Amino acid sequence: MSSAAVRVPEELSARLPVEQREPGLDRDGVRLLVSRGTEVSHHAFAQLPGLLRAGDLLVVNTSPTLAAAVDGRAGHARVVVHFSTRGDDGRWAVELREPDGRGTTRARADATGLPRARAGEVGGRGCGGPAGTRVRLPGGARLVLEEPLSARGERLWWARVSGARVPELLREHGRPIRYSYTERDQPLSVYQTVFALASGDGTGSAEMPSAARPFTARLVAELVSRGVQFAPVTLHTGVASAESHEPPYPERFAVPEASARLINAVRAGDGRVVAVGTTAVRAVESAAGDDGVVGARAGWTDLVVTPERGVRVVEGLLTGLHEPEASHLLMLEAVAGRAAIDRGYEAAVRGRYLWHEFGDAHLLLP
C-alpha cells in the first residue's frame, strides 16, 4: 500500500500538545519513528541525540508563529481573516473564512448557501472575494480585498489594511490559526518553537513550523554537547488549505551567509545535513545551485520539491506526519524515496502514531 493510499483514522489526530495530553511530559515526550531506507525503528523524541552523529548538521527554521487569525465582519456576516503573508508592497495575502460554531472555521459559502469552489479550482469564486470586499476588523481597522494571489484559484487574496499596522493588530486581537481536529484554542506560546526569533518587521509564519516543536532547550544543549551543529534559516510559512491540498504558494525565505558556509562545510566532510521540517528543505534547496553549493540568499521562493526535481543539499529530514494527500509527501519521497515513505507510513498507522502539528515525529536518514 502506498503512502498516498494510507487511511489515517480520525482518532490518530493529535488534539492537544503532548504536555497537555500527558502531564509530566515536556514537548520532547512525543514518539519518534525513524526510517533508514525501508528499515523502521521506534523511539522517543528525547532519544534523538543518540540517533545522530557528531558532525551532523540540523537546519532549523527561525520563523516565529503569528497570531494570524482575526475576527471581522463582511457586511452583516461574521468572518475570520487568516493573515498569510506580507507582500513587498505592504499588502497582505489573506484568506476569508467563516466561523463553524465550534471555535474553528470552514470555507465560506456563497449567496446560495453552497460552499464556494474548492481551493485551487480556477474559475470558481474560491473562499474569498469578490474584489472590493470590505471587512471591518477590531480597533477600527479595515481590510479591502484587491486581487487573487494566484491564477490557480481565489482562496488567497491580496488585501490592503487601513487604520492599523497588521503586526500590532495581530498582537492585540489575533489568535493562532486552529484546525478542526484540535480540541481547544491554545496560547501563542504553545505554537512557538525553541528556535523562533522575532523579526524586525513583525512578519512570521501563519502556521507553526511544527517539525521543530518537540525540541526543548535541554535537548538542544545535549545535541550541541554531542557535536551536532545547527544552521538557522528562515522561511515564513503561509496558510495551508484545510479543505484541499495544494502546492505551496511563494514564501519569503532567507539563508544567511554563516549558515550557507556551515552547510557547505558539512557536505564537504563526513557529516549529514538533516533539515528540521519541510520549510527548512524549501529554504535550503532554494539557495542551492545545480552543483549543490549553498549561497546566502533572501527573497521569495516558489520552489516545489518533487521526486523528479530531487534534492541537492538535504540528506535527511526530521518532520511530522503529513496527510496522505499532502504535497509535502512528494518532498519526503524526494529525500528518502517512495519505498521508505510507504514503509514508514504503514508502520506509523500500525503503531498508532499521532498526526498533525501536536503529533509525533518522523526522522528520515540515509
Side-chain angles (χ1 to χ4, degrees):
M1 181 184 295
S2 77
S3 51
V6 167
R7 191 185 73 81
V8 182
E10 191 175 330
E11 65 268 20
L12 295 187
S13 293
R15 304 192 183 284
L16 293 168
V18 64
E19 63 272 23
Q20 296 177 21
R21 294 194 307 266
E22 303 182 48
L25 291 184
D26 205 338
R27 290 181 174 208
D28 58 8
V30 297
R31 299 167 68 195
L32 177 63
L33 180 75
V34 178
S35 294
R36 293 182 178 86
T38 56
E39 293 183 12
V40 173
S41 57
H42 305 274
H43 307 267
F45 194 88
Q47 295 174 305
L48 180 65
L51 298 166
L52 299 175
R53 307 190 296 239
D56 284 346
L57 177 69
L58 293 176
V59 182
V60 297
N61 186 1
T62 63
S63 178
T65 307
L66 301 175
V70 178
D71 294 322
R73 284 193 173 271
H76 296 297
R78 292 175 58 214
V79 296
V80 179
V81 182
H82 286 177
F83 284 85
S84 182
T85 305
R86 186 181 68 83
D88 293 333
D89 59 1
R91 296 186 298 176
W92 281 75
V94 303
E95 179 180 9
L96 295 195
R97 296 177 66 83
E98 62 184 33
D100 63 1
R102 300 188 301 271
T104 52
T105 63
R106 60 186 168 221
R108 293 175 71 213
D110 64 17
T112 68
L114 297 173
R116 294 181 178 172
R118 284 170 61 90
E121 287 184 359
V122 178
R125 291 179 65 193
C127 299
T133 297
R134 296 175 180 273
V135 179
R136 302 190 303 280
L137 298 170
R142 295 283 190 276
L143 176 149
V144 180
L145 299 187
E146 294 191 347
E147 59 183 330
L149 185 66
S150 166
R152 289 207 307 262
E154 299 185 1
R155 182 174 68 86
L156 291 175
W157 285 70
W158 285 117
R160 203 168 291 279
V161 177
S162 60
R165 292 188 68 249
V166 172
E168 281 79 9
L169 177 74
L170 301 186
R171 275 198 294 271
E172 291 179 22
H173 302 288
R175 61 185 179 278
I177 290 173
R178 180 187 151 208
Y179 291 113
S180 58
Y181 50 77
T182 57
E183 188 170 298
R184 57 175 177 262
D185 283 347
Q186 299 284 349
L188 185 59
S189 59
V190 167
Y191 289 87
Q192 299 296 8
T193 75
V194 71
F195 305 111
L197 295 173
S199 58
D201 59 1
T203 54
S205 288
E207 297 180 351
M208 170 175 55
S210 55
R213 190 184 189 278
F215 284 87
T216 62
R218 180 184 64 246
L219 187 64
V220 170
E222 183 179 349
L223 286 161
V224 170
S225 71
R226 287 174 177 250
V228 175
Q229 303 178 86
F230 289 83
V233 300
T234 302
L235 186 135
H236 296 318
T237 65
V239 175
S241 168
E243 288 77 37
S244 176
H245 298 287
E246 332 163 63
Y249 286 89
E251 292 169 322
R252 192 189 297 271
F253 82 104
V255 176
E257 176 68 36
S259 292
R261 285 200 306 266
L262 186 53
I263 292 166
N264 293 331
V266 168
R267 291 188 72 242
D270 296 327
R272 299 170 294 184
V273 177
V274 179
V276 177
T278 57
T279 60
V281 176
R282 200 178 192 207
V284 168
E285 294 291 328
S286 296
D290 292 342
D291 57 0
V293 175
V294 177
R297 283 194 61 190
W300 293 86
T301 178
D302 59 2
L303 176 66
V304 179
V305 178
T306 64
E308 293 72 31
R309 189 266 186 192
V311 287
R312 299 166 183 166
V313 181
V314 172
E315 300 162 80
L317 174 60
L318 177 63
T319 184
L321 293 163
H322 300 281
E323 289 285 5
E325 302 87 2
S327 60
H328 290 313
L329 280 185
L330 295 176
M331 181 185 290
L332 271 59
E333 290 180 19
V335 174
R338 179 67 174 267
I341 303 308
D342 288 348
R343 178 77 180 86
Y345 270 59
E346 290 168 16
V349 172
R350 193 165 55 248
R352 311 293 290 173
Y353 279 71
L354 296 183
W355 255 251
H356 302 305
E357 67 266 32
F358 297 141
D360 295 315
H362 189 192
L363 175 62
L364 302 159
L365 290 175

